[in-house]
Amino acid sequence: MLQNGNYEAILGRIPTYIAFLENYKDIYISATIIANELNYGEVMVRKDLAKISVGGRPKIGYTVEKLLNDLKTYMGYHHETRAVIVGMGRLGEALYHYKGFKPYHIKVVAAFDMHNKYDHMDQFESICKSNQIDIGIITVPKEHAQAVCDLMIKNQIKAIWNFAPVVLDVPKHIIVQNENMANSLAILTKLTNDRWHES
Amino acid sequence: MLQNGNYEAILGRIPTYIAFLENYKDIYISATIIANELNYGEVMVRKDLAKISVGGRPKIGYTVEKLLNDLKTYMGYHHETRAVIVGMGRLGEALYHYKGFKPYHIKVVAAFDMHNKYDHMDQFESICKSNQIDIGIITVPKEHAQAVCDLMIKNQIKAIWNFAPVVLDVPKHIIVQNENMANSLAILTKLTNDRWHES
DNA sequence: TAGATTGTTAATCGATTAACAATC
DNA sequence: TAGATTGTTAATCGATTAACAATC
């Protein structure tokens, strides 16, 4: 999951609500049921829903269809987002082929690498110019991450999803989200050791 | 990054401090410098360090070597953690081969899949029995995630790093950390749209 | 009607930031 | 000494939880 908490907490939950509702076969849904299924606090879910949708009825709940649509609108699913990915090692390939992005109207326009069957970096500028790219995904080795990042910004990319374990230096209008696998696992390890060993 | 905030915020920063200090070539380091380099608040860094280490000296700062050691001890880097991974699709392979876990004393003991060159699921029980496994990594398709999870718990695995987009049902003493790529990207997309388009 | 559920207002909790004293 | 830095105490801020009124 996202490592930082530099965004409103509610944003981390909405995609989970959406995924749950996509598979929910009924006309109405209550905050109570959602909370139980997702192991969230009941009041928290109710507040989340109230913030984003309207029309929940006492004793009945929300219409699944309307709630789902409101949640998707809030998250911007109806607006296509274009991305490019740079660095087609194993992780880059895994992301490139990942099916789970489909519902989000995210289109990976190009996948770049120096060496293989993907788009060559020579074409980076021209591909960015002919498509308006919103998000750049960085999956190169850490030595090259800053250079790739600079190139992305030079080509009007607005946000960066960074899998390289480095702190990128960017102008402050650029949004960076760091996804650091080693850090995530380190945290889980720490929590596990605390719970099961010392203390 | 980790998506949930169901752990102390400081835990998300310590691995970043460690990685920074590993590459810092000097004897002393101050909270001020760390904060500037990592784009954190100065006071926050000072508080983090004070919580975990001792011996920072006014005007001088901390000894890099001692601070680094204290941070690593706190995170449990000195204690070997054993993991298994189930589901060797592209993402499973990427994680299995990922170099970044090395410094954390995490050992991936086995990698399971039904179909290919990795360990076969038939051997799951026996491998878990002869090694004491701390963490199970789930990278199977979502349809199989709960079954894999159940099997892990049955074999005394204590914590689960779950990449499948499902809410796992586990006894409450088991630690689950969800890593949902689609959710992460959805959040970044939302933040980007908010900043650059509507509003 | 009684009970489930929504929605709102107040309280709590934790994390971050601000202010400042201590120290090398 | 003066200034940089630590460490502490108080204030702020945001998110979650609790309490409760409204409603179908």
Side-chain angles (χ1 to χ4, degrees):
Chain A
M1 307 179 139
L2 303 170
Q3 195 160 296
N4 308 330
N6 55 348
Y7 54 85
E8 281 184 291
I10 187 176
L11 286 186
R13 294 187 294 264
I14 300 173
T16 307
Y17 296 145
I18 293 173
F20 172 71
L21 291 172
E22 294 275 17
N23 295 306
Y24 192 74
K25 305 288 177 221
D26 203 344
I27 299 181
Y28 297 104
I29 183 76
S30 71
T32 314
I33 292 174
I34 295 177
N36 289 338
E37 292 293 326
L38 304 180
N39 296 316
Y40 287 157
E42 194 176 320
V43 183
M44 187 177 75
V45 173
R46 189 163 296 123
K47 275 214 152 141
D48 285 351
L49 303 189
K51 183 170 183 178
I52 288 163
S53 191
V54 289
R57 289 156 68 197
K59 179 119 184 205
I60 295 172
Y62 291 80
T63 314
V64 172
E65 194 185 340
K66 172 155 175 19
L67 178 58
L68 197 44
N69 191 63
D70 287 347
L71 290 166
K72 286 180 176 176
T73 301
Y74 183 84
M75 288 300 286
Y77 282 24
H78 302 304
H79 176 285
E80 187 182 271
T81 302
R82 279 177 295 281
V84 294
I85 177 166
V86 179
M88 298 307 283
R90 286 192 176 90
L91 183 58
E93 280 210 309
L95 290 171
Y96 185 61
H97 290 97
Y98 190 57
K99 304 287 193 304
F101 300 141
K102 268 194 189 141
Y104 297 76
H105 279 218
I106 290 160
K107 188 173 167 186
V108 179
V109 170
F112 296 94
D113 203 289
M114 293 311 278
H115 304 300
N116 59 17
K117 61 192 165 166
Y118 295 97
D119 300 298
H120 197 275
M121 284 304 283
D122 291 349
Q123 302 167 17
F124 192 84
E125 286 207 28
S126 73
I127 288 179
C128 286
K129 201 164 283 175
S130 43
N131 304 270
Q132 194 190 318
I133 306 300
D134 303 287
I135 293 177
I137 306 172
I138 298 180
T139 46
V140 297
K142 62 175 182 294
E143 297 74 30
H144 302 122
Q146 184 64 56
V148 168
C149 173
D150 293 344
L151 185 63
M152 286 174 167
I153 294 169
K154 204 172 121 194
N155 285 279
Q156 276 76 51
I157 283 174
K158 299 156 193 163
I160 287 169
W161 198 21
N162 175 40
F163 286 81
V166 295
V167 177
L168 294 172
D169 185 22
V170 300
K172 64 182 176 307
H173 63 282
I174 299 290
I175 298 167
V176 176
Q177 188 157 281
N178 293 303
E179 205 86 27
N180 186 318
M181 292 296 141
N183 288 9
S184 295
L185 185 52
I187 293 166
L188 181 56
T189 299
K190 160 73 173 158
L191 293 173
T192 307
N193 287 338
D194 284 356
R195 169 100 46 109
W196 294 83
H197 301 294
E198 55 257 40
S199 105
Chain B
M1 314 170 135
L2 301 172
Q3 195 160 293
N4 307 331
N6 54 348
Y7 53 85
E8 281 183 291
I10 188 178
L11 285 185
R13 294 188 293 266
I14 301 174
T16 306
Y17 296 143
I18 293 173
F20 172 71
L21 291 173
E22 293 275 17
N23 296 306
Y24 192 74
K25 306 286 177 223
D26 203 346
I27 298 182
Y28 296 105
I29 184 76
S30 71
T32 314
I33 293 174
I34 295 177
N36 289 340
E37 292 294 325
L38 303 179
N39 294 315
Y40 287 157
E42 192 177 320
V43 184
M44 187 176 73
V45 173
R46 189 162 298 123
K47 274 214 152 146
D48 286 350
L49 302 190
K51 183 171 184 177
I52 289 163
S53 192
V54 290
R57 289 155 68 196
K59 179 119 186 211
I60 294 173
Y62 291 80
T63 314
V64 173
E65 194 186 340
K66 170 151 176 20
L67 178 58
L68 197 44
N69 191 63
D70 287 348
L71 290 166
K72 286 180 175 177
T73 300
Y74 183 83
M75 289 299 286
Y77 282 25
H78 302 304
H79 176 284
E80 186 182 271
T81 302
R82 279 177 295 281
V84 294
I85 178 166
V86 179
M88 299 306 285
R90 287 191 176 91
L91 183 57
E93 280 211 310
L95 290 171
Y96 185 61
H97 290 97
Y98 190 55
K99 305 287 194 302
F101 300 140
K102 266 195 195 142
Y104 298 77
H105 277 219
I106 289 160
K107 187 173 169 188
V108 179
V109 171
F112 296 95
D113 204 289
M114 292 312 277
H115 303 301
N116 59 17
K117 60 190 163 167
Y118 295 97
D119 299 298
H120 196 277
M121 284 305 281
D122 292 349
Q123 302 168 15
F124 193 84
E125 287 206 28
S126 73
I127 289 179
C128 286
K129 202 163 284 173
S130 43
N131 303 271
Q132 195 189 319
I133 306 299
D134 303 288
I135 293 178
I137 306 173
I138 297 179
T139 46
V140 297
K142 64 174 181 296
E143 297 74 30
H144 302 123
Q146 183 64 57
V148 168
C149 172
D150 293 344
L151 185 63
M152 286 173 165
I153 294 169
K154 204 172 120 194
N155 285 279
Q156 276 74 51
I157 283 174
K158 300 157 192 162
I160 287 169
W161 198 20
N162 174 41
F163 286 80
V166 295
V167 178
L168 295 172
D169 185 22
V170 299
K172 61 181 178 308
H173 63 282
I174 299 290
I175 299 168
V176 176
Q177 187 157 283
N178 293 302
E179 205 87 26
N180 186 317
M181 293 293 142
N183 288 10
S184 296
L185 185 52
I187 293 165
L188 182 56
T189 300
K190 161 71 173 160
L191 293 173
T192 307
N193 287 337
D194 284 356
R195 169 101 43 112
W196 293 84
H197 302 294
E198 57 257 39
S199 105

